[in-house]
Amino acid sequence: MLNNIKNNILNFKKNKQLLKKTFNPKDNSISINICYSEQHEIEVLYKILIEILNNDKDIEFHDIVVTSFKLNNYITYINSVFKLKNQEKISFYISQNNCKKTQQIFYTFNKILELSDIRFNNEEVLELLDLPMISKNFNISEEEIKILYNWIESTNIRWGINEKHKDNLNFLKINQNTWFYGIEKLLLSYAINEKNKIWNNILSCISIDLSKSELIGKLSYLINILNKWRVILSRKKQIKCWHSLFKSFSKDFLNNQPELKYILTMMNQNWEKMIDDIILSNYQKKISIKILQKNFLYITKKINTQKFKLGAINFCHPSLVCYIPFKMVFVIGLDSKGIMKKSNTDHLNLLKDYPLITDINIDDITFHIFLKNLIAAQKYFYMSYIGYSSKNENKINPCILIEQLIHYIALHFYIKKDEKLKIEDNIKKISHYLVKTHKKEHFYNKIHTKIIKHKNKNNIKNIHQIFFKNILNIENSKKQNFLINLKDLICFWKHPIRYFFNFTLNTNFAIQKKLLTTEPFIIDQLENFKISNFLLESMINNKDLQNILEQIKLSGILPYKNFGEIALRNKYKEIEQTAQIIHQYRLLPQEKAFNLKIEKYCIEGTLKEIQKTGLLRWKVNSINYSDRISLWLEHLIYCILGGIGESKIIGHKKQIFSFHSLSYDQSYNYLLDYIEGYIKGINNPLLLTKSGSAWFDKVYDIKNHCVYKNPEIKRKAYKTLYDTWTGNSYKKGEKEDIYIQKITSILDVKKICHISKKWLTPILQHKKINEKKT
């Protein structure tokens, strides 16, 4: 029947009134196979190929081609099914997969050839490890790459192999922030297994787990190999000296990867041929790698990638067949979702609505390619598609290509004695013989299937438990005494929306930090905070400041030499002023654990830094909304426990924010309100924001304990809210907060102001006025 269909198609223009021909139901030259999944399609394909190869001795492996418009989706399943140990060995070749690997190797080779021109900043080196071929060669896993990111950040490795490399690039000849110096820090950290210890002018920067010690060796080996190639590639050489370069590249960066052997051999032959041609030209001068790199790129682009392999079943895109005769053509993935999908922007494409004769129609191209595949088949033309949904086993229609082929066959063929059948009935009858539905358990026995289903149920159950665990606990706890930790209560009121996602939904949106790639000309904002905090804690706890200053100098976060000395000296004076104020108030600090019953709720925790005058807190930068509300909640508990002093927090540039002492009843009622607000907020997100706090600071009259009615003050207050929300070129606005973005995309001024007024009024009502305004 296949040959008759081809003749009909090819002779259609010559004789448009072709007579109907009989169709033999036993003819298996055309087959349409319905499967349940992509893997099931490949399993069915494998079974059919085995049957045909066993029954038809005239067909060899290279007589068979398997095509798909979405071949990438099947590559994993092809490799797994065709490489099963207990199955008959079938040689196969995936042209698209091979082409991708060739591109990856060529990209990697080019990256290595550029080593003589790069600064070796941390991102450039880690980018190499993101290539699976390189990470596999150096035996570095994905988990270990994440650890390396952390180590590089901790050791402040920025760029440069060593001081000699920096000198070659006409920079200052210093070891600071280089790879070799960073590795020395890691080795010392491993030897001492303790942070912030100095030995031989090297600072141990991180505590390294002994099980990860091998990773230091892997990193050291990688950097040494890269440095070796940097030196080799940085000099011009006689052309014969470059002859074995690609072979050396394969050995150093792609060793022990058998799946790449064929591609590497081909590329090495191309490289050596290029070098041999230059040698034959009798060119005597030394030549740089840059010229060879450009020439090799030109040659590689000219060489066509191998489309088909002799002695193997070829898998490729349908467009590659292009009338090449094969005894068997098998097209997979012909479901309605697989090809000819409508684009989301089709309604914007005016060419669709107003086509011209010269316009390219993608659907027509697809039909034409499919027709080429049909004509290329000499004995067998098989097709397959996923005909059932994996979720509910609902039927999925095939693509229009299969429907039109069946319709065409029904128009021109019939089974004996069915010549008078209506076209609709003939389509059904022919479909019955052409279409074959394969059983779901094709390669798996029932026991294995049951195990998989059982595992899936457990997975769903676990996901359900993980996602709803906290919500269920909340609901159950409403019926009993609700136990709350002070840390959780404070964490919630600092950022209610973030806490809702972290606690209730068990969701955390991690923002990946970007590594610093240049030497520190100034102290980075985050590092500035770390230095300030480190110095302040050291001064308060009377630690050896000389040793602390030496640790900071060796950490690699200060500018070079005198610039760093001046910056550190100024920072020291600034922090010393804050420390002196803290020492005035800090006398014999104590801490107290507590467990309070507030109606049906139990709250527990520990209050630290309790002075005779009240609670004392401090920070190195400006006092903000989060600091105030944290101190306020601790102050309420302090007063409930019988404290009669004032609680205060000391901030940057002599800022002081403090609260009056409250009575037991006042503190109890306020704390109950904030606990109930916490309970509501972990079920429904509470829009309490920094923008609202900034607005309320401007609009609240702290002397008269009321909101200003002056329109000008209100206008300025709303402007402050808007500026805090939108931000500027120097500071990110609150609307950039990823947690807030998930709740709202618009600035709801009325709601933000209402919530801020409700929860922040008590804080400003009980603020002590006679201190510096914050």
Side-chain angles (χ1 to χ4, degrees):
M1 184 175 68
L2 175 62
N3 289 327
N4 287 333
I5 291 173
K6 287 162 60 177
N7 290 332
N8 274 14
I9 293 169
L10 295 171
N11 297 322
F12 180 70
K13 288 185 178 180
K14 295 178 182 177
N15 184 8
K16 292 188 177 181
Q17 295 181 346
L18 292 171
L19 297 174
K20 275 192 174 185
K21 298 179 182 178
T22 57
F23 161 53
N24 183 2
K26 294 182 180 179
D27 186 346
N28 67 338
S29 59
I30 293 181
S31 174
I32 300 166
N33 302 274
I34 301 177
C35 306
Y36 283 82
S37 65
E38 289 171 343
Q39 178 160 348
H40 190 220
E41 273 191 271
I42 302 303
E43 291 166 357
V44 169
L45 165 66
Y46 187 90
K47 182 185 176 184
I48 290 170
L49 292 178
I50 292 294
E51 288 177 357
I52 288 176
L53 288 167
N54 288 336
N55 297 331
D56 194 336
K57 300 300 179 182
D58 293 333
I59 293 184
E60 302 290 339
F61 289 154
H62 58 263
D63 295 324
I64 302 169
V65 66
V66 183
T67 68
S68 176
F69 288 96
K70 48 176 185 175
L71 187 60
N72 280 341
N73 296 1
Y74 290 92
I75 288 171
T76 304
Y77 305 119
I78 293 167
N79 284 318
S80 61
V81 170
F82 278 73
K83 289 180 181 178
L84 283 175
K85 292 181 181 178
N86 297 327
Q87 301 295 330
E88 296 181 43
K89 289 186 178 180
I90 292 181
S91 177
F92 68 97
Y93 174 79
I94 307 172
S95 63
Q96 190 167 345
N97 188 35
N98 184 59
C99 183
K100 276 191 173 183
K101 285 183 179 176
T102 305
Q103 290 172 357
Q104 288 174 357
I105 293 170
F106 188 71
Y107 174 80
T108 306
F109 184 52
N110 271 308
K111 278 284 180 186
I112 299 304
L113 294 185
E114 290 167 359
L115 288 177
S116 59
D117 290 337
I118 66 171
R119 283 160 45 104
F120 276 82
N121 70 49
N122 44 38
E123 287 185 348
E124 286 170 335
V125 174
L126 289 169
E127 190 182 61
L128 287 172
L129 287 177
D130 286 336
L131 298 168
M133 296 175 181
I134 300 289
S135 56
K136 184 179 179 181
N137 181 76
F138 291 95
N139 196 25
I140 298 175
S141 65
E142 284 187 26
E143 183 190 349
E144 287 176 328
I145 292 172
K146 291 177 184 176
I147 294 169
L148 286 178
Y149 269 90
N150 184 38
W151 285 0
I152 288 166
E153 185 182 22
S154 300
T155 54
N156 268 293
I157 295 171
R158 304 286 179 88
W159 70 277
I161 295 289
N162 51 23
E163 58 183 7
K164 188 177 179 181
H165 178 214
K166 282 190 171 184
D167 186 43
N168 291 340
L169 294 172
N170 297 319
F171 284 89
L172 291 172
K173 192 177 178 180
I174 54 172
N175 243 339
Q176 182 175 308
N177 306 119
T178 62
W179 283 98
F180 280 3
Y181 187 59
I183 291 170
E184 285 181 354
K185 286 183 178 181
L186 289 173
L187 289 169
L188 180 64
S189 300
Y190 168 67
I192 298 175
N193 200 19
E194 195 176 345
K195 288 176 70 176
N196 299 328
K197 295 291 179 182
I198 299 171
W199 177 84
N200 199 22
N201 281 332
I202 301 171
L203 177 70
S204 65
C205 53
I206 193 170
S207 181
I208 294 178
D209 185 355
L210 296 179
S211 64
K212 304 298 180 187
S213 58
E214 190 180 347
L215 183 57
I216 303 174
K218 292 177 184 178
L219 177 63
S220 179
Y221 177 64
L222 170 66
I223 299 302
N224 275 291
I225 290 289
L226 293 175
N227 188 43
K228 181 186 84 172
W229 276 79
R230 178 188 68 83
V231 174
I232 291 170
L233 298 169
S234 60
R235 301 169 191 156
K236 291 183 178 181
K237 295 181 182 179
Q238 293 291 337
I239 188 62
K240 62 182 180 181
C241 298
W242 297 115
H243 193 271
S244 60
L245 184 75
F246 192 89
K247 196 176 285 184
S248 301
F249 158 76
S250 304
K251 184 180 177 182
D252 283 344
F253 295 99
L254 301 173
N255 198 23
N256 295 324
Q257 298 188 46
E259 68 275 13
L260 305 177
K261 187 176 179 181
Y262 175 78
I263 306 169
L264 290 173
T265 303
M266 292 294 293
M267 291 184 75
N268 183 53
Q269 287 174 359
N270 294 334
W271 176 267
E272 289 181 350
K273 185 179 182 303
M274 178 188 76
I275 301 299
D276 289 337
D277 289 343
I278 299 172
I279 291 171
L280 287 173
S281 69
N282 203 24
Y283 187 78
Q284 298 298 324
K285 291 183 180 179
K286 291 183 178 180
I287 192 167
S288 75
I289 193 62
K290 287 294 153 195
I291 296 171
L292 296 177
Q293 184 183 5
K294 286 179 183 177
N295 195 42
F296 189 59
L297 173 64
Y298 174 74
I299 291 169
T300 306
K301 281 184 176 179
K302 283 183 70 178
I303 297 171
N304 292 323
T305 54
Q306 186 179 2
K307 294 178 181 178
F308 300 106
K309 184 179 178 182
L310 289 174
I313 294 173
N314 288 280
F315 289 83
C316 65
H317 190 273
S319 60
L320 295 182
V321 174
C322 195
Y323 302 122
I324 300 171
F326 286 92
K327 290 181 180 177
M328 179 178 182
V329 176
F330 202 126
V331 186
I332 58 178
L334 288 174
D335 54 274
S336 55
K337 298 178 182 178
I339 56 175
M340 297 189 298
K341 289 196 292 186
K342 286 189 177 180
S343 170
N344 294 329
T345 58
D346 272 355
H347 63 285
L348 301 174
N349 189 354
L350 297 179
L351 295 177
K352 287 272 184 182
D353 296 328
Y354 308 101
L356 296 175
I357 295 173
T358 54
D359 289 343
I360 296 172
N361 189 323
I362 295 173
D363 293 347
D364 286 348
I365 293 171
T366 306
F367 284 121
H368 188 59
I369 290 171
F370 180 75
L371 186 61
K372 285 180 180 180
N373 281 244
L374 175 64
I375 294 170
Q378 293 180 315
K379 294 186 75 172
Y380 302 101
F381 184 69
Y382 280 29
M383 296 152 281
S384 71
Y385 69 94
I386 300 168
Y388 294 92
S389 169
S390 58
K391 292 181 180 178
N392 47 27
E393 296 197 1
N394 289 341
K395 280 190 176 182
I396 297 175
N397 294 324
C399 70
I400 194 171
L401 297 171
I402 288 180
E403 290 179 348
Q404 288 194 352
L405 181 62
I406 293 172
H407 189 76
Y408 181 85
I409 293 170
L411 281 172
H412 297 88
F413 293 87
Y414 63 90
I415 297 169
K416 281 186 180 181
K417 299 180 182 179
D418 288 342
E419 60 270 15
K420 294 182 180 181
L421 272 181
K422 291 182 180 179
I423 185 66
E424 293 83 3
D425 296 329
N426 198 32
I427 288 172
K428 288 179 183 178
K429 198 154 190 179
I430 287 177
S431 296
H432 174 74
Y433 288 103
L434 292 180
V435 178
K436 298 172 185 176
T437 302
H438 294 266
K439 290 183 179 180
K440 200 171 186 179
E441 301 86 11
H442 185 73
F443 262 44
Y444 301 98
N445 55 41
K446 290 183 180 179
I447 297 171
H448 188 62
T449 308
K450 285 179 181 176
I451 291 170
I452 292 171
K453 286 182 179 178
H454 182 65
K455 285 180 180 178
N456 289 339
K457 285 180 181 178
N458 285 341
N459 288 340
I460 293 166
K461 188 177 178 182
N462 290 338
I463 292 166
H464 185 275
Q465 286 176 345
I466 290 168
F467 191 79
F468 294 102
K469 181 181 176 183
N470 292 320
I471 296 176
L472 291 171
N473 287 342
I474 293 164
E475 294 299 326
N476 292 334
S477 57
K478 286 182 180 177
K479 300 173 185 176
Q480 306 167 0
N481 289 333
F482 201 118
L483 181 62
I484 303 169
N485 192 288
L486 176 61
K487 287 182 180 178
D488 290 329
L489 188 66
I490 290 173
C491 189
F492 169 81
W493 284 106
K494 278 185 173 182
H495 198 316
I497 296 173
R498 181 177 62 200
Y499 191 87
F500 171 79
F501 278 96
N502 295 165
F503 176 78
T504 308
L505 301 184
N506 200 25
T507 304
N508 186 18
F509 300 109
I511 300 169
Q512 189 175 3
K513 290 185 288 186
K514 194 173 181 182
L515 293 171
L516 298 170
T517 57
T518 59
E519 60 268 42
F521 296 106
I522 58 170
I523 303 175
D524 177 69
Q525 189 175 1
L526 179 60
E527 298 298 345
N528 185 46
F529 171 77
K530 288 179 181 178
I531 291 173
S532 301
N533 207 47
F534 192 33
L535 281 172
L536 184 59
E537 292 299 321
S538 303
M539 289 176 183
I540 290 169
N541 296 310
N542 298 316
K543 292 185 179 178
D544 182 1
L545 289 175
Q546 195 60 40
N547 184 264
I548 298 299
L549 293 171
E550 193 63 27
Q551 289 177 28
I552 294 169
K553 289 175 186 177
L554 294 173
S555 64
I557 57 180
L558 295 177
Y560 181 61
K561 285 199 173 178
N562 292 338
F563 298 100
E565 293 275 358
I566 293 168
L568 185 58
R569 195 184 308 137
N570 292 338
K571 177 59 62 181
Y572 182 88
K573 288 178 182 178
E574 181 186 305
I575 300 301
E576 193 175 34
Q577 290 178 349
T578 306
Q580 286 171 357
I581 299 170
I582 293 168
H583 280 303
Q584 290 175 15
Y585 294 100
R586 191 172 186 261
L587 299 168
L588 302 174
Q590 296 178 349
E591 65 177 56
K592 185 174 184 179
F594 63 88
N595 194 323
L596 295 174
K597 184 82 180 294
I598 309 293
E599 288 198 359
K600 61 180 178 180
Y601 307 106
C602 292
I603 184 166
E604 64 177 13
T606 304
L607 286 181
K608 297 181 179 180
E609 292 293 335
I610 304 173
Q611 317 292 321
K612 287 184 179 181
T613 56
L615 296 178
L616 180 63
R617 302 288 179 265
W618 57 81
K619 62 178 300 187
V620 293
N621 44 14
S622 300
I623 298 167
N624 57 30
Y625 146 76
S626 300
D627 306 315
R628 295 177 186 180
I629 203 160
S630 300
L631 181 63
W632 171 245
L633 294 170
E634 289 184 305
H635 180 64
L636 293 178
I637 290 169
Y638 168 74
C639 294
I640 292 171
L641 293 173
I644 56 172
E646 298 172 352
S647 298
K648 59 173 62 63
I649 181 168
I650 299 165
H652 181 58
K653 292 186 178 179
K654 301 181 182 179
Q655 282 183 313
I656 299 177
F657 191 99
S658 60
F659 293 110
H660 292 291
S661 179
L662 301 174
S663 67
Y664 176 87
D665 290 340
Q666 276 183 306
S667 305
Y668 186 96
N669 291 330
Y670 276 136
L671 186 59
L672 178 60
D673 287 342
Y674 283 93
I675 289 173
E676 288 177 343
Y678 165 74
I679 300 302
K680 289 178 183 176
I682 57 180
N683 286 284
N684 294 299
L686 180 68
L687 197 61
L688 183 61
T689 63
K690 292 177 184 176
S691 305
S693 174
W695 165 81
F696 196 62
D697 277 349
K698 295 288 183 183
V699 85
Y700 187 77
D701 185 351
I702 202 164
K703 289 183 180 178
N704 300 313
H705 300 299
C706 64
V707 174
Y708 284 115
K709 294 182 180 179
N710 188 322
E712 182 62 22
I713 293 175
K714 285 186 176 181
R715 187 189 66 79
K716 288 180 179 178
Y718 284 124
K719 185 179 184 304
T720 303
L721 183 150
Y722 180 77
D723 291 342
T724 309
W725 179 264
T726 56
N728 52 44
S729 55
Y730 302 101
K731 189 176 181 181
K732 277 188 177 180
E734 196 172 29
K735 69 175 184 180
E736 302 296 327
D737 187 317
I738 191 167
Y739 292 98
I740 292 176
Q741 286 176 355
K742 299 295 178 183
I743 295 297
T744 180
S745 59
I746 58 170
L747 176 58
D748 191 341
V749 175
K750 189 175 180 180
K751 187 175 182 180
I752 288 174
C753 292
H754 173 73
I755 292 171
S756 299
K757 184 178 178 181
K758 178 181 178 180
W759 294 108
L760 301 180
T761 297
I763 295 174
L764 294 186
Q765 273 182 347
H766 298 283
K767 177 186 181 293
K768 192 174 179 181
I769 314 171
N770 61 350
E771 279 145 354
K772 189 170 181 178
K773 190 176 180 181
T774 58

